[in-house]
Amino acid sequence: MLQQVNGHSSGLDAHGGEALREDLQEFLGQEAPLHLLDDLTKVNPVTLETVLRCLQARYMADTFYTNAGCTLVALNPFKPVPQLYSPELMREYHTAPQPQKLKPHIFTVGEQTYRNVKSLIEPVNQSIVVSGESGAGKTWTSRCLMKFYAVVAASPTSSESHKVAERIEQRILNSNPIMEAFGNACTLRNNNSSRFGKFIQLQLNRAHQMTGAAVQTYLLEKTRVACQASSERNFHIFYQICKGASADQRLQWHLPEGAAFSWLPNPDRTLEEDCFEVTREAMLHLGIDTPTQNNIFKVLAGLLHLGNMLFADSEDEAQPCQLMDSAKCSLRTSASLLCLPEDPLLETLRIRTIRAGRQQQVFRKPCSRAECDTRRDCLAKLVYARLFDWLVSVINSSICTDPNSWTSFIGLLDVYGFESFPDNSLEQLCINYANEKLLQVPVSPPLQVLGQLEACGLVETIHISAAGFPIRVSHRNFVERYALLRRLRPRAAPGPQSPSPNEGRSEWSPHTEETTLQPLLQDILHTLPTLTGAAATPGDPAEAMPAPVHCGRTKVFMTDSTLELLERRRARVLEQCARCIQGSWRRHRHRKQERQRRAAALIQAAIRSWLTRKHIQRLHTAATVIKRTWRKWRIRMAFLASEELDGVEEKHLFQAPHSPSSFQLPQAQTRLLGAIIRLWPLGLVLANAAVGERGFQRKLVVWACLRLPASSPSSCSVRTAQEQDGVTSIRALPQGSIKFHCRKSPLRYADICPEPSSYSVAGFNQILLERHRLGRV
């Protein structure tokens, strides 16, 4: 709960205010450290005077927030303090491990509420009650909370969710000028007093991100439309259209310059809230176009003219009251602006219809002047209330989201100020009653500062927070949240574990639930002395005392310190569990990676072996192909050489005897030539040997082996290999120079010659010839 106290003392009279200030100065002069007390439960003794002294001291030190147990007291500084609500400060309170350890602030309440929504197992809605006197700053506090949630309830890794939160926040902020123009008014204590209550529902999804919002209003002070107290004004929107309308708009809405309206008191008083353009711009942002705005302002102008319809007393009770002459023009104008016929409108205001009897007979009874005024006022209040509700529905349509897209919400209840006037309207009495129920104290006179403290019930709240158990948690939620603390309790002997509250839910009953929860609850409560002993420090014996906690029939009651201790120990147990899980996960991941490395090594070895075998197989295949090709080439060359030699031999044998000019050899040489021809391989070897036949015989062997024609022996010259180097083919002599181009083969073993067979005959297809020196045979 959030309490607001007005730090302004304008409601005091001169004499009483001067006396109070003197007393405060005396108190503050005696005890200067009061401004350092950030919690009113530390004030001793807790009385209205001591609480007031502490708040005044902190106010003078520009410290406007003070804790009162689980309640936050906010003082209105009545001046801008921008650094008090900066985005950096919002993030500081949001990221703090324990925001309650920081200075008291509205962001502490907002962050604690947000963490409550996040930490509970099942989504549990949270609400903040903002109450106080008119002018205490409740609306401003609600704005700050909405900005805070727009910052913290957006995902840091998702720009889309942040944009959605910003859009919702902007639309809610755009709705403020509209709702303030139609729902706020100037009162004796506040120039911009909210004359209605609102409940803003900030909707969160499962990831605790803000996805939408909804606004609910209640207890609109409709009476202010037709009745205003002395020195007060009507709703702001009526003054805005009268002061901010253009000439064309005045002509269209029948609002001439200087026109007087009975429902528009104090029209000459100008306030900051009388800004018509801001309201129109906000309406455009929420989707209310210009034609619709004109219709709205026509209705408002029609209500002003309706207020000028004055009735005169009727001389005969059986006859209805007559309009005054000055009101007839107002009737026509009001009927025209409200789009109603004149006669039915006038008849509705002057004649009452009654249905009575079993047959529901209709009776028409003329109304007196007072009744006519009352019916006129009721009609105006009804039209204005319907118009206000329609505006709220338009706002909700622009900021609401699908019900399936959110699971929990944070509510901001802005209760408009409690006040006590000499003449209180029905709405004011209702709102005072609501404040009494919320604060559990009667509302006393504060559409003084000590009196405000009494009305807020602040002292009673401090007493309850200091001496009682303000934290209340149901047994089931307590067990579900703090069952982890049973790990801290040593077990004497292993025994059956207590059942979990989630086991056997299908056969759950209230009796079974209570029976099951009690052992678990007692186990957790028995760990509290251990927790307090662990949290105690040497030299601080107060911490070693048993934790202040009480177990009721359905709930567990405890203090703030106990709750903080439980949360701290729970966080430690969760940290230990997280470390255990992380260690197990790292061990599992290491073992998995080791198995993967071994498997990868085996797979790599198998692949390398397979690739090596494939490579060797390709080499064997290539070698086989090369050998086969080589053999084919060698056989072919041998065959060609043999064919060539055989053809020359046969030609020589058949042509030599028939040539008339052939060279006649002696008979012995003829026989020798025939033997050489038959043994040409041997002759070829002998002809090129380094030793052996000399002279004519060698040349004869060469001539015979080469099958040179015998008709012209002088035309052929033979040069042996021993006389000069040089190789030529038997096929043809080389023409010109011969160049050899060598390139490394892509085959790995191409430079290795296959070993020839020992029995194979090679080289017979090539014959060494002498090219330069020719010998005659």
Side-chain angles (χ1 to χ4, degrees), residues 648 651-652 655 663 703 706-716:
V648 173
K651 182 177 181 181
H652 174 72
Q655 290 181 357
F663 180 72
W703 179 83
L706 295 177
R707 310 284 176 88
L708 298 176
S711 58
S712 55
S714 60
S715 62
C716 299

Side-chain angles (χ1 to χ4, degrees), residues 19-35:
L20 178 60
R21 283 192 293 271
E22 291 178 358
D23 294 340
L24 287 176
Q25 293 297 332
E26 181 181 356
F27 289 146
L28 294 177
Q30 294 177 358
E31 297 186 16
L34 280 175
H35 68 280

